[in-house]
Amino acid sequence: QVQLGESGGGLVQAGGSLRLSCAASGRTLSTYNMGWFRQAPGRNREFVAVVSRTGQTTYYTDSVKGRFTISTNDAKNTVYLQMNSLKPEDTAVYYCAAQITGPISRIPASYNYWGQGTQVTVSS
C-alpha cells in the first residue's frame, strides 16, 4: 500500500506558474503509473496528466498540453506537476493517484490510491 500527499497549491494570477508535488510513502512510486486529476466545483473529476511506471510515457489532456509537465524524482519518491501559463479554468482541487496494474489510464476508476488533494485557484 502507498500513501500519497499533495502540496504546492495556492492562489496565482492568470499567466502564473505553480509546481505541485505528490510525495509517496510506503512503496516506491516506480511500482505504479502515476496520474494527476482535478475536480472543479460541480464537475466530475477529470484527467490531467499521467506518467508510466517506467517514466518513459506521458499523456496530457488537450487543454494542458504545452503548459503542464508531469515528472518524477525516484530518489525523493515524488511526482510533480509543473503548471505554467495558468488560466482561470485551471481552478480546481488537484489530486495525485497511483495505478497498481494495467496499461496507463486516463480513467479515475483505474486508480487504486489517492491523495487528499490540493487547491489551485487562478484569478483573472
Side-chain angles (χ1 to χ4, degrees):
Q1 190 168 352
V2 65
Q3 293 78 43
L4 303 174
E6 302 94 335
S7 61
L11 173 64
V12 64
Q13 289 187 332
S17 298
L18 286 173
R19 188 178 78 159
L20 306 184
S21 300
C22 174
S25 60
R27 295 286 298 272
T28 178
L29 282 184
S30 61
T31 306
Y32 309 102
N33 294 326
M34 294 299 301
W36 283 98
F37 295 80
R38 64 188 180 186
Q39 188 167 16
R43 301 188 66 176
N44 292 331
R45 192 166 298 188
E46 65 171 359
F47 167 77
V48 176
V50 60
V51 57
S52 65
R53 56 180 59 84
T54 65
Q56 294 182 348
T57 303
T58 57
Y59 293 123
Y60 299 89
T61 193
D62 287 346
S63 63
V64 308
K65 285 180 181 177
R67 300 189 298 123
F68 290 12
T69 303
I70 189 170
S71 62
T72 58
N73 184 321
D74 290 345
K76 294 185 177 181
N77 216 29
T78 298
V79 60
Y80 302 99
L81 186 68
Q82 178 66 45
M83 306 187 297
N84 299 328
S85 302
L86 282 161
K87 303 176 181 180
E89 51 263 43
D90 294 319
T91 295
V93 177
Y94 283 70
Y95 299 89
C96 68
Q99 180 191 10
I100 299 175
T101 61
I104 197 168
S105 175
R106 305 167 193 242
I107 302 172
S110 301
Y111 289 74
N112 306 94
Y113 301 109
W114 292 83
Q116 81 286 352
T118 186
Q119 176 71 47
V120 171
T121 303
V122 185
S123 63
S124 57

